[in-house]
Amino acid sequence: MTTASAQNALAQSFKSLHQPGNPLILTNVWDAITANAVASLPTTKALATASYAIAAAAGLADEDLTLEVNLRAVNAIAKVAQKHALPLTVDFQDGFGAQLEDGVKKVIEAGAVGINLEDFSREKNGLYDIDEAVSRIRKVLSVASSLGVADFVVNARTDALFAGQHLDEAITRGKAYLAAGATTVFIWGGPTRKGWSREEVERAAKELDGKLNVILVRMRGDGLSVEELRKIGVARISVGPQLMMRTVGAVGEEARRILEGEGV
């Protein structure tokens, strides 16, 4: 089996994990240490990066993350994924503008079998129109196919709600992205919206035939549980940078205890 065919077999395996009603659960990582910790768990089925956490670890805001910094983290995490024979999907933000195709090529060469791709352009400070967003998904899949990874997984994120649009627009975009070859759609509410309601999740899951990625909210006590999301019928659940946020708090608290001379 060639390297390309082995990677595509891993992509096929990863794609098959996206089952509406039996969702793939991803606990996102941001460096080799966290990747090792997650990969070592027997219940882990794949590794996924979180760009916000990768940016924070590099001293950057999420919107200031560069392709180069992202790839540096991806290359380290990819080695862990290979060691544990796990598929890796990369948070690729908006594709870094004109660097989309070259960047995807490098991500695939690192060993990844999927990406998150957003439809909010940082260069434009606004949404790509649907046709352009669809074209960018197709470009990603074309690059992947040319490298022998025809089953590359695109989790197409729409920021329609974040941009002030209604759920109707997010669903319309989601349907177009699935038709373009995306495996799942991630509808992001944005930090000011504080998530979205059960009714909205149920409607989106129904309209998108369950091919929906939902964030599991762990930092508040009012989010939908894994079991609730499973019953709603989503295909993928992730946590974004929440593990990083909890880790920072734990490190700070332990450091405080040491600095204040508390006993073991």
PDB file of all heavy atoms in Angstrom, residues 6-7 29 36 50 62 64 70-71 76 79 87-88 95 109 111 113 124 134 138 150 158 160 167 177 195 222 226 242:
ATOM      1  N   ALA A   6      -2.549   4.727   1.825  1.00  0.00           N
ATOM      2  CA  ALA A   6      -2.692   4.528   3.274  1.00  0.00           C
ATOM      3  C   ALA A   6      -3.350   5.745   3.909  1.00  0.00           C
ATOM      4  O   ALA A   6      -4.212   5.620   4.786  1.00  0.00           O
ATOM      5  CB  ALA A   6      -1.330   4.266   3.903  1.00  0.00           C
ATOM      6  N   GLN A   7      -2.953   6.934   3.464  1.00  0.00           N
ATOM      7  CA  GLN A   7      -3.543   8.155   4.005  1.00  0.00           C
ATOM      8  C   GLN A   7      -5.013   8.267   3.607  1.00  0.00           C
ATOM      9  O   GLN A   7      -5.848   8.691   4.401  1.00  0.00           O
ATOM     10  CB  GLN A   7      -2.766   9.382   3.520  1.00  0.00           C
ATOM     11  CG  GLN A   7      -3.145  10.669   4.242  1.00  0.00           C
ATOM     12  CD  GLN A   7      -2.172  11.804   3.959  1.00  0.00           C
ATOM     13  OE1 GLN A   7      -1.172  11.627   3.265  1.00  0.00           O
ATOM     14  NE2 GLN A   7      -2.455  12.985   4.475  1.00  0.00           N
ATOM     15  N   VAL A  29      -7.017  19.625  20.504  1.00  0.00           N
ATOM     16  CA  VAL A  29      -5.683  19.788  21.087  1.00  0.00           C
ATOM     17  C   VAL A  29      -4.955  20.945  20.402  1.00  0.00           C
ATOM     18  O   VAL A  29      -5.408  21.466  19.384  1.00  0.00           O
ATOM     19  CB  VAL A  29      -4.868  18.485  20.952  1.00  0.00           C
ATOM     20  CG1 VAL A  29      -5.589  17.329  21.635  1.00  0.00           C
ATOM     21  CG2 VAL A  29      -4.605  18.138  19.478  1.00  0.00           C
ATOM     22  N   ASN A  36      -0.645  14.045  22.761  1.00  0.00           N
ATOM     23  CA  ASN A  36      -0.266  12.771  23.376  1.00  0.00           C
ATOM     24  C   ASN A  36      -1.241  12.373  24.470  1.00  0.00           C
ATOM     25  O   ASN A  36      -1.617  11.200  24.585  1.00  0.00           O
ATOM     26  CB  ASN A  36       1.152  12.877  23.954  1.00  0.00           C
ATOM     27  CG  ASN A  36       2.202  12.317  23.017  1.00  0.00           C
ATOM     28  OD1 ASN A  36       2.065  11.205  22.509  1.00  0.00           O
ATOM     29  ND2 ASN A  36       3.243  13.097  22.782  1.00  0.00           N
ATOM     30  N   ALA A  50      -7.357  22.977  17.519  1.00  0.00           N
ATOM     31  CA  ALA A  50      -8.179  24.166  17.734  1.00  0.00           C
ATOM     32  C   ALA A  50      -7.312  25.384  17.457  1.00  0.00           C
ATOM     33  O   ALA A  50      -6.331  25.624  18.167  1.00  0.00           O
ATOM     34  CB  ALA A  50      -8.704  24.202  19.171  1.00  0.00           C
ATOM     35  N   ASP A  62      -6.586  34.812  17.893  1.00  0.00           N
ATOM     36  CA  ASP A  62      -7.017  33.852  16.883  1.00  0.00           C
ATOM     37  C   ASP A  62      -6.949  34.441  15.479  1.00  0.00           C
ATOM     38  O   ASP A  62      -6.476  33.810  14.538  1.00  0.00           O
ATOM     39  CB  ASP A  62      -8.440  33.384  17.198  1.00  0.00           C
ATOM     40  CG  ASP A  62      -8.882  32.193  16.361  1.00  0.00           C
ATOM     41  OD1 ASP A  62      -8.020  31.372  15.981  1.00  0.00           O
ATOM     42  OD2 ASP A  62     -10.083  32.082  16.085  1.00  0.00           O
ATOM     43  N   ASP A  64      -5.032  36.622  14.368  1.00  0.00           N
ATOM     44  CA  ASP A  64      -3.661  36.933  13.947  1.00  0.00           C
ATOM     45  C   ASP A  64      -2.828  35.684  13.682  1.00  0.00           C
ATOM     46  O   ASP A  64      -1.639  35.789  13.345  1.00  0.00           O
ATOM     47  CB  ASP A  64      -2.960  37.788  15.007  1.00  0.00           C
ATOM     48  CG  ASP A  64      -3.594  39.165  15.154  1.00  0.00           C
ATOM     49  OD1 ASP A  64      -4.074  39.695  14.133  1.00  0.00           O
ATOM     50  OD2 ASP A  64      -3.618  39.699  16.271  1.00  0.00           O
ATOM     51  N   ASN A  70       0.462  28.076  12.395  1.00  0.00           N
ATOM     52  CA  ASN A  70      -0.480  26.961  12.439  1.00  0.00           C
ATOM     53  C   ASN A  70       0.200  25.668  11.996  1.00  0.00           C
ATOM     54  O   ASN A  70       0.071  24.626  12.645  1.00  0.00           O
ATOM     55  CB  ASN A  70      -1.686  27.267  11.552  1.00  0.00           C
ATOM     56  CG  ASN A  70      -2.897  26.419  11.900  1.00  0.00           C
ATOM     57  OD1 ASN A  70      -3.027  25.903  12.999  1.00  0.00           O
ATOM     58  ND2 ASN A  70      -3.797  26.271  10.950  1.00  0.00           N
ATOM     59  N   LEU A  71       0.944  25.732  10.903  1.00  0.00           N
ATOM     60  CA  LEU A  71       1.605  24.542  10.379  1.00  0.00           C
ATOM     61  C   LEU A  71       2.667  24.011  11.335  1.00  0.00           C
ATOM     62  O   LEU A  71       2.873  22.795  11.428  1.00  0.00           O
ATOM     63  CB  LEU A  71       2.245  24.846   9.023  1.00  0.00           C
ATOM     64  CG  LEU A  71       1.286  24.992   7.842  1.00  0.00           C
ATOM     65  CD1 LEU A  71       2.040  25.459   6.600  1.00  0.00           C
ATOM     66  CD2 LEU A  71       0.569  23.676   7.561  1.00  0.00           C
ATOM     67  N   ALA A  76       3.860  19.096  14.568  1.00  0.00           N
ATOM     68  CA  ALA A  76       4.163  18.408  15.832  1.00  0.00           C
ATOM     69  C   ALA A  76       3.028  17.463  16.212  1.00  0.00           C
ATOM     70  O   ALA A  76       3.260  16.317  16.626  1.00  0.00           O
ATOM     71  CB  ALA A  76       4.393  19.433  16.933  1.00  0.00           C
ATOM     72  N   LYS A  79       2.789  14.159  14.111  1.00  0.00           N
ATOM     73  CA  LYS A  79       3.697  13.077  14.506  1.00  0.00           C
ATOM     74  C   LYS A  79       3.056  12.206  15.592  1.00  0.00           C
ATOM     75  O   LYS A  79       3.208  10.987  15.591  1.00  0.00           O
ATOM     76  CB  LYS A  79       5.017  13.664  15.007  1.00  0.00           C
ATOM     77  CG  LYS A  79       5.836  14.342  13.916  1.00  0.00           C
ATOM     78  CD  LYS A  79       7.080  14.996  14.493  1.00  0.00           C
ATOM     79  CE  LYS A  79       7.856  15.731  13.393  1.00  0.00           C
ATOM     80  NZ  LYS A  79       9.040  16.454  13.938  1.00  0.00           N
ATOM     81  N   PRO A  87      -6.514   9.343  12.827  1.00  0.00           N
ATOM     82  CA  PRO A  87      -6.721  10.408  11.846  1.00  0.00           C
ATOM     83  C   PRO A  87      -6.593  11.774  12.508  1.00  0.00           C
ATOM     84  O   PRO A  87      -6.903  11.928  13.694  1.00  0.00           O
ATOM     85  CB  PRO A  87      -8.148  10.168  11.337  1.00  0.00           C
ATOM     86  CG  PRO A  87      -8.793   9.271  12.321  1.00  0.00           C
ATOM     87  CD  PRO A  87      -7.721   8.536  13.050  1.00  0.00           C
ATOM     88  N   LEU A  88      -6.116  12.735  11.745  1.00  0.00           N
ATOM     89  CA  LEU A  88      -5.946  14.102  12.237  1.00  0.00           C
ATOM     90  C   LEU A  88      -6.704  15.067  11.342  1.00  0.00           C
ATOM     91  O   LEU A  88      -6.565  15.043  10.121  1.00  0.00           O
ATOM     92  CB  LEU A  88      -4.458  14.485  12.243  1.00  0.00           C
ATOM     93  CG  LEU A  88      -4.135  15.978  12.468  1.00  0.00           C
ATOM     94  CD1 LEU A  88      -4.573  16.408  13.872  1.00  0.00           C
ATOM     95  CD2 LEU A  88      -2.646  16.249  12.248  1.00  0.00           C
ATOM     96  N   GLY A  95      -8.812  29.465   5.675  1.00  0.00           N
ATOM     97  CA  GLY A  95      -7.948  29.011   4.590  1.00  0.00           C
ATOM     98  C   GLY A  95      -6.795  29.945   4.303  1.00  0.00           C
ATOM     99  O   GLY A  95      -6.046  29.752   3.344  1.00  0.00           O
ATOM    100  N   GLU A 109       0.404  16.908   3.364  1.00  0.00           N
ATOM    101  CA  GLU A 109       1.754  16.331   3.387  1.00  0.00           C
ATOM    102  C   GLU A 109       2.210  16.044   4.818  1.00  0.00           C
ATOM    103  O   GLU A 109       2.997  15.131   5.046  1.00  0.00           O
ATOM    104  CB  GLU A 109       2.726  17.276   2.682  1.00  0.00           C
ATOM    105  CG  GLU A 109       2.535  17.308   1.172  1.00  0.00           C
ATOM    106  CD  GLU A 109       3.388  18.361   0.472  1.00  0.00           C
ATOM    107  OE1 GLU A 109       3.911  19.260   1.175  1.00  0.00           O
ATOM    108  OE2 GLU A 109       3.515  18.286  -0.766  1.00  0.00           O
ATOM    109  N   GLY A 111       0.235  14.882   7.003  1.00  0.00           N
ATOM    110  CA  GLY A 111      -0.467  13.664   7.395  1.00  0.00           C
ATOM    111  C   GLY A 111      -1.931  13.839   7.731  1.00  0.00           C
ATOM    112  O   GLY A 111      -2.606  12.861   8.059  1.00  0.00           O
ATOM    113  N   VAL A 113      -5.991  14.355   7.418  1.00  0.00           N
ATOM    114  CA  VAL A 113      -6.995  13.786   6.512  1.00  0.00           C
ATOM    115  C   VAL A 113      -8.284  14.608   6.527  1.00  0.00           C
ATOM    116  O   VAL A 113      -9.303  14.190   5.991  1.00  0.00           O
ATOM    117  CB  VAL A 113      -7.301  12.317   6.842  1.00  0.00           C
ATOM    118  CG1 VAL A 113      -6.069  11.449   6.617  1.00  0.00           C
ATOM    119  CG2 VAL A 113      -7.814  12.177   8.280  1.00  0.00           C
ATOM    120  N   LYS A 124     -11.433  40.196   4.124  1.00  0.00           N
ATOM    121  CA  LYS A 124     -12.603  41.004   3.773  1.00  0.00           C
ATOM    122  C   LYS A 124     -13.348  41.500   5.006  1.00  0.00           C
ATOM    123  O   LYS A 124     -14.174  42.402   4.911  1.00  0.00           O
ATOM    124  CB  LYS A 124     -13.569  40.177   2.916  1.00  0.00           C
ATOM    125  CG  LYS A 124     -13.016  39.751   1.574  1.00  0.00           C
ATOM    126  CD  LYS A 124     -14.074  38.977   0.803  1.00  0.00           C
ATOM    127  CE  LYS A 124     -13.582  38.584  -0.584  1.00  0.00           C
ATOM    128  NZ  LYS A 124     -14.626  37.862  -1.354  1.00  0.00           N
ATOM    129  N   VAL A 134     -18.198  28.028  -1.735  1.00  0.00           N
ATOM    130  CA  VAL A 134     -18.330  26.711  -2.367  1.00  0.00           C
ATOM    131  C   VAL A 134     -17.095  26.412  -3.211  1.00  0.00           C
ATOM    132  O   VAL A 134     -16.553  25.296  -3.183  1.00  0.00           O
ATOM    133  CB  VAL A 134     -19.609  26.655  -3.231  1.00  0.00           C
ATOM    134  CG1 VAL A 134     -19.548  25.503  -4.220  1.00  0.00           C
ATOM    135  CG2 VAL A 134     -20.833  26.531  -2.340  1.00  0.00           C
ATOM    136  N   ARG A 138     -14.331  23.268  -2.952  1.00  0.00           N
ATOM    137  CA  ARG A 138     -13.977  22.427  -4.104  1.00  0.00           C
ATOM    138  C   ARG A 138     -12.476  22.468  -4.393  1.00  0.00           C
ATOM    139  O   ARG A 138     -11.888  21.458  -4.778  1.00  0.00           O
ATOM    140  CB  ARG A 138     -14.778  22.870  -5.325  1.00  0.00           C
ATOM    141  CG  ARG A 138     -16.256  22.484  -5.229  1.00  0.00           C
ATOM    142  CD  ARG A 138     -17.050  22.989  -6.404  1.00  0.00           C
ATOM    143  NE  ARG A 138     -18.421  22.492  -6.365  1.00  0.00           N
ATOM    144  CZ  ARG A 138     -19.452  23.083  -6.949  1.00  0.00           C
ATOM    145  NH1 ARG A 138     -19.269  24.217  -7.630  1.00  0.00           N
ATOM    146  NH2 ARG A 138     -20.666  22.563  -6.866  1.00  0.00           N
ATOM    147  N   ALA A 150      -8.562  11.328  -1.920  1.00  0.00           N
ATOM    148  CA  ALA A 150      -9.854  11.715  -2.493  1.00  0.00           C
ATOM    149  C   ALA A 150     -10.958  11.787  -1.447  1.00  0.00           C
ATOM    150  O   ALA A 150     -11.963  12.474  -1.651  1.00  0.00           O
ATOM    151  CB  ALA A 150     -10.239  10.736  -3.602  1.00  0.00           C
ATOM    152  N   THR A 158     -19.787  27.669   8.859  1.00  0.00           N
ATOM    153  CA  THR A 158     -20.392  28.939   8.447  1.00  0.00           C
ATOM    154  C   THR A 158     -20.536  29.867   9.645  1.00  0.00           C
ATOM    155  O   THR A 158     -21.011  29.464  10.713  1.00  0.00           O
ATOM    156  CB  THR A 158     -21.756  28.751   7.753  1.00  0.00           C
ATOM    157  OG1 THR A 158     -22.279  30.052   7.451  1.00  0.00           O
ATOM    158  CG2 THR A 158     -22.745  27.967   8.599  1.00  0.00           C
ATOM    159  N   ALA A 160     -22.395  32.550   9.517  1.00  0.00           N
ATOM    160  CA  ALA A 160     -23.544  33.382   9.163  1.00  0.00           C
ATOM    161  C   ALA A 160     -24.197  33.993  10.400  1.00  0.00           C
ATOM    162  O   ALA A 160     -24.558  35.181  10.402  1.00  0.00           O
ATOM    163  CB  ALA A 160     -24.563  32.566   8.365  1.00  0.00           C
ATOM    164  N   LEU A 167     -30.687  31.979  10.989  1.00  0.00           N
ATOM    165  CA  LEU A 167     -30.413  30.555  10.847  1.00  0.00           C
ATOM    166  C   LEU A 167     -30.739  30.069   9.437  1.00  0.00           C
ATOM    167  O   LEU A 167     -30.066  29.169   8.928  1.00  0.00           O
ATOM    168  CB  LEU A 167     -31.213  29.761  11.883  1.00  0.00           C
ATOM    169  CG  LEU A 167     -30.970  28.249  11.913  1.00  0.00           C
ATOM    170  CD1 LEU A 167     -29.513  27.926  12.217  1.00  0.00           C
ATOM    171  CD2 LEU A 167     -31.890  27.581  12.945  1.00  0.00           C
ATOM    172  N   TYR A 177     -22.646  23.824   0.948  1.00  0.00           N
ATOM    173  CA  TYR A 177     -21.325  23.289   1.260  1.00  0.00           C
ATOM    174  C   TYR A 177     -21.325  21.762   1.215  1.00  0.00           C
ATOM    175  O   TYR A 177     -20.355  21.138   0.743  1.00  0.00           O
ATOM    176  CB  TYR A 177     -20.863  23.791   2.634  1.00  0.00           C
ATOM    177  CG  TYR A 177     -20.790  25.303   2.749  1.00  0.00           C
ATOM    178  CD1 TYR A 177     -20.734  25.930   3.985  1.00  0.00           C
ATOM    179  CD2 TYR A 177     -20.800  26.115   1.613  1.00  0.00           C
ATOM    180  CE1 TYR A 177     -20.678  27.310   4.095  1.00  0.00           C
ATOM    181  CE2 TYR A 177     -20.742  27.507   1.713  1.00  0.00           C
ATOM    182  CZ  TYR A 177     -20.686  28.089   2.956  1.00  0.00           C
ATOM    183  OH  TYR A 177     -20.636  29.460   3.068  1.00  0.00           O
ATOM    184  N   GLY A 195     -23.897  30.570  22.078  1.00  0.00           N
ATOM    185  CA  GLY A 195     -24.513  29.325  21.653  1.00  0.00           C
ATOM    186  C   GLY A 195     -25.866  29.542  21.003  1.00  0.00           C
ATOM    187  O   GLY A 195     -26.292  30.667  20.763  1.00  0.00           O
ATOM    188  N   ASP A 222     -25.221  25.127  31.174  1.00  0.00           N
ATOM    189  CA  ASP A 222     -26.526  25.137  30.519  1.00  0.00           C
ATOM    190  C   ASP A 222     -26.492  24.607  29.089  1.00  0.00           C
ATOM    191  O   ASP A 222     -27.451  24.775  28.339  1.00  0.00           O
ATOM    192  CB  ASP A 222     -27.103  26.554  30.517  1.00  0.00           C
ATOM    193  CG  ASP A 222     -26.185  27.565  29.824  1.00  0.00           C
ATOM    194  OD1 ASP A 222     -25.043  27.199  29.502  1.00  0.00           O
ATOM    195  OD2 ASP A 222     -26.624  28.708  29.612  1.00  0.00           O
ATOM    196  N   VAL A 226     -23.782  15.444  25.620  1.00  0.00           N
ATOM    197  CA  VAL A 226     -23.472  14.533  24.519  1.00  0.00           C
ATOM    198  C   VAL A 226     -24.689  13.667  24.201  1.00  0.00           C
ATOM    199  O   VAL A 226     -25.041  13.463  23.036  1.00  0.00           O
ATOM    200  CB  VAL A 226     -22.255  13.641  24.870  1.00  0.00           C
ATOM    201  CG1 VAL A 226     -22.110  12.508  23.846  1.00  0.00           C
ATOM    202  CG2 VAL A 226     -20.980  14.472  24.923  1.00  0.00           C
ATOM    203  N   GLN A 242     -11.839  24.904  24.651  1.00  0.00           N
ATOM    204  CA  GLN A 242     -12.261  24.847  26.056  1.00  0.00           C
ATOM    205  C   GLN A 242     -11.297  24.071  26.949  1.00  0.00           C
ATOM    206  O   GLN A 242     -11.099  24.411  28.117  1.00  0.00           O
ATOM    207  CB  GLN A 242     -13.668  24.242  26.149  1.00  0.00           C
ATOM    208  CG  GLN A 242     -14.743  25.155  25.564  1.00  0.00           C
ATOM    209  CD  GLN A 242     -16.113  24.511  25.630  1.00  0.00           C
ATOM    210  OE1 GLN A 242     -16.839  24.664  26.601  1.00  0.00           O
ATOM    211  NE2 GLN A 242     -16.464  23.777  24.589  1.00  0.00           N
TER     212      GLN A 242
END
